[in-house]
Amino acid sequence: MARRQVLYAGGALGAVAVAGLTTANALARRPPRTGADLSSRVRLPPPFQVPLPLPPVLKPVGTTGGIDRYEITQREVTAEILPGVRTPLWTYNGTFPGPTIESRRGRPVSVRHRNELPVPTVVHLHGGRTPAASDGYPTDLVLPDGWPDAARGAHRMSGMHGMEHGAQGMHDPRAVRSRLTRDYTFPLDQRPTLLWYHDHRMDFTAPAIWRGLAGLHIVRDDAEEALGLPSGPRELPLMIGDRAFHADGTLAYPSLDPTLRKEPGVEEPYLAGVLGDVILVNGAPWPVHEVDAARYRLRVLNASNARHYELAAVAEDGRRLDLIQVGADQGLLAEPVRHRVLPIAPAERYDLVVDFSGIPVGGLVKVVNRLGAGRTRDVMAFRIARKATDDSRVPRVLSTDLPTWSRSDALRVRDFSFRAGRMNGGHGWVIGGKPFDPARTDVTVRLGDVEVWRLVADIHHPVHLHLVGFKVLSRSGGAPLPHDAGLKDTVSLRPGESVEILTRFDGYRGRYLFHCHNAEHEDMGMMANFEVV
Ligand code: C2O
Ligand code: CU
Ligand code: CU
């Protein structure tokens, strides 16, 4: 199966491997695709037939000392993603996406994760301002029952194994492993926004997310609710992701070791990223959702491993609806920004309001990906079911609590290049020339310091910082793009581009990560540590 895919998927790496910064300009003229296509071998449903699922909202099992306690069991289930097709998945609580946690700003949440999967796991709350001990460091593994616990055995199995990483001595003395369960505590002392949680095991994050280990977490507060944005059934979380399926309904993914136990990595044609030919929203293929002729708030997450989207909402007469952006990765903008087309890279979130009131009842509005081709051009659709009253609004001022740091507050400027490189004698992805090593502190920052980081890319790299939100200051010396507005935690570097970001290292001391969120790049070295002291 996998071999066959290798034959027609070639070419992607060829271009990438030679792509230093000098050839980046040539790459910039190519369409922004990073990765190689996997084709499904199962009959795919026509678009806009399957209803849009909404992930279940998890109820706390209790409250102790003002902390809401949740429990999630990670387990394998078989689910129907494609109509009539059974697909084994790795899930949080048996569903894909996992259950949504809804929380209030400043009200801590603790989640007990229980690992009943056959491999170690680790949970990261993406976008969370979280103490390091609960941030899901890639070696802080939760070992399943029966997994060898001896330090040496555990290191071998967790991916820090002698064969692939021996030369670099990938031993992490600071790793905190636990057996079967682990409690993650999230203070959630942060601006309200859409976060997501996902697996973050060293070397195996990409295939674990692909198998289903991803869920949403929404932080709310009174100020945001008072704005009058569309809410209740008119607020929809949309987790977009691509997948591919074997003829027997199982997920296709070009892992070198499909058990995800020992050898990390993907087959060579996919080193730049794995692209599926089925577009899922909330786990359903090209779904459709019935809406009122009214405004809706769409909370969009690109949970794809490597696929980029340029989203547009198109009515049947070809007219494009405005995408009114009200929020970014890290919460509300100062004021709304109007888009006709919105690029979204892996792990980015956009908080959008779309007004369906001008569409006749019975009409269809398609959400399309202008970067897709054939079936991957469609994402989902909205069917306008009825006329309705609408008392929602999009205020001209959305928030007044955005950080006021400016370039002149920065105590230093650091440079990081994100590009193809060598790792363990093979192809990898490196930051500042180095592949990830959990035992190395790449950057030491002081708690409270404001810094400018200048990030340079060869090809597309969506760069994510844990712990902090940042502002985009510039792109290749010029102004940021309209969708760079607000506070972000992931920024999409385009081929050949250099992007300056401004942040304040705030919140907690400890060891945190920054990395490319193309999940295949992340697994193949494109990750580094910053230590807040
Ligand atoms: Cu989605 Cu290290 O993050
Ligand atoms: Cu993160
Ligand atoms: Cu990358």
Side-chain angles (χ1 to χ4, degrees), residues 101-107 187-195 217-231 235 297 299 326 330-333 351 397-402:
I101 294 181
E102 296 239 5
S103 57
R104 308 293 300 183
R105 175 181 199 159
R107 184 175 171 92
L188 300 171
D189 177 17
Q190 60 185 102
R191 306 180 81 231
T193 191
L194 172 67
L195 312 175
H217 184 136
I218 299 175
V219 185
R220 302 187 184 280
D221 77 353
D222 298 344
E224 186 183 298
E225 282 168 356
L227 291 177
L229 295 170
S231 63
E235 180 189 359
R297 182 178 182 187
R299 313 201 64 174
V326 296
Q330 287 287 318
L332 291 168
L333 305 182
D351 196 348
V397 175
L398 294 163
S399 70
T400 51
D401 67 337
L402 281 162

Side-chain angles (χ1 to χ4, degrees), residues 180-469:
L180 202 53
T181 66
R182 181 167 181 138
D183 294 345
Y184 295 88
T185 304
F186 306 110
L188 300 171
D189 177 17
Q190 60 185 102
R191 306 180 81 231
T193 191
L194 172 67
L195 312 175
W196 62 303
Y197 60 99
H198 59 76
D199 196 62
H200 216 304
R201 174 166 60 125
M202 184 162 157
D203 294 344
F204 293 97
T205 293
I209 292 176
W210 188 270
R211 285 183 193 205
L213 292 179
L216 301 173
H217 184 136
I218 299 175
V219 185
R220 302 187 184 280
D221 77 353
D222 298 344
E224 186 183 298
E225 282 168 356
L227 291 177
L229 295 170
S231 63
R234 293 187 189 162
E235 180 189 359
L236 301 171
L238 302 175
M239 180 196 281
I240 304 174
D242 56 342
R243 298 291 186 275
F245 297 81
H246 290 299
D248 63 0
T250 56
L251 287 170
Y253 188 88
S255 285
L256 294 177
D257 171 9
T259 70
L260 309 188
R261 293 172 76 88
K262 292 190 175 112
E263 191 185 3
V266 290
E267 292 164 13
E268 185 181 287
Y270 299 93
L271 293 178
V274 179
L275 305 171
D277 60 352
V278 177
I279 307 300
L280 304 178
V281 183
N282 295 345
W286 303 285
V288 61
H289 190 66
E290 281 201 349
V291 293
D292 299 336
R295 277 185 287 270
Y296 277 71
R297 182 178 182 187
L298 308 179
R299 313 201 64 174
V300 184
L301 157 68
N302 180 0
S304 309
N305 281 20
R307 184 176 290 278
H308 290 250
Y309 302 77
E310 273 182 20
L311 299 176
V314 189
E316 281 161 307
D317 58 6
R319 194 160 54 89
R320 267 197 234 144
L321 275 63
D322 282 342
L323 307 171
I324 312 282
Q325 186 189 350
V326 296
D329 302 331
Q330 287 287 318
L332 291 168
L333 305 182
E335 55 197 42
V337 176
R338 190 176 299 262
H339 303 280
R340 308 291 285 173
V341 172
L342 180 66
I344 179 167
E348 284 189 305
R349 287 92 69 213
Y350 286 95
D351 196 348
L352 305 175
V353 173
V354 176
D355 188 354
F356 297 114
S357 65
I359 308 293
V361 169
L364 195 74
V365 173
K366 283 195 216 176
V367 178
V368 299
N369 173 18
R370 298 204 320 164
L371 303 176
R375 301 264 355 231
T376 61
R377 221 178 147 78
D378 291 328
V379 176
M380 67 171 294
F382 295 96
R383 170 76 63 192
I384 288 60
R386 61 194 82 79
K387 288 208 178 310
T389 57
D390 188 355
D391 57 5
S392 72
R393 43 188 229 112
V394 180
R396 276 228 294 268
V397 175
L398 294 163
S399 70
T400 51
D401 67 337
L402 281 162
T404 54
W405 333 301
S406 68
R407 186 189 289 275
S408 57
D409 298 322
L411 293 173
R412 58 194 68 81
V413 178
R414 301 183 198 262
D415 285 281
F416 300 97
S417 66
F418 290 74
R419 52 191 175 81
R422 305 292 292 172
M423 176 166 114
N424 312 317
H427 181 281
W429 298 97
V430 295
I431 301 177
K434 294 177 195 150
F436 180 58
D437 180 347
R440 182 184 68 227
T441 300
D442 298 278
V443 184
T444 302
V445 298
R446 282 209 321 260
L447 186 70
D449 279 5
V450 176
E451 299 197 356
V452 169
W453 284 18
R454 204 150 48 197
L455 317 170
V456 185
D458 56 355
I459 60 162
H460 260 96
H461 297 293
V463 174
H464 167 51
L465 272 65
H466 286 213
L467 183 65
V468 295

Side-chain angles (χ1 to χ4, degrees), residues 124 126 196 198 200 347 464 466 513 515 517 522 527:
H124 169 60
H126 180 124
W196 62 303
H198 59 76
H200 216 304
H464 167 51
H466 286 213
L513 293 166
H515 59 89
H517 221 293
E522 174 184 345
M527 187 150 67

Side-chain angles (χ1 to χ4, degrees), residues 6-124:
V6 170
L7 292 178
Y8 60 79
L13 179 63
V16 163
V18 297
L21 294 172
T22 50
T23 55
N25 285 340
L27 281 165
R29 275 180 253 111
R30 296 155 44 122
R33 275 179 95 263
T34 307
D37 290 303
L38 266 182
S39 293
S40 294
R41 294 291 182 249
V42 64
R43 220 169 61 91
L44 299 177
F48 321 135
Q49 303 289 314
V50 179
L52 175 76
L54 294 172
V57 175
L58 195 61
K59 293 203 173 44
V61 294
T63 297
T64 316
I67 302 179
D68 294 323
R69 288 182 294 107
Y70 293 86
E71 287 178 5
I72 291 178
T73 301
Q74 305 172 6
R75 55 193 168 90
E76 189 161 14
V77 300
T78 298
E80 187 175 329
I81 291 183
L82 304 174
V85 176
R86 309 292 292 165
T87 301
L89 297 171
W90 286 2
T91 67
Y92 295 116
N93 267 7
T95 63
F96 172 65
T100 300
I101 294 181
E102 296 239 5
S103 57
R104 308 293 300 183
R105 175 181 199 159
R107 184 175 171 92
V109 155
S110 120
V111 187
R112 172 163 298 176
H113 275 270
R114 182 183 169 86
N115 180 8
E116 294 184 357
L117 292 167
V119 300
T121 59
V122 54
V123 183
H124 169 60

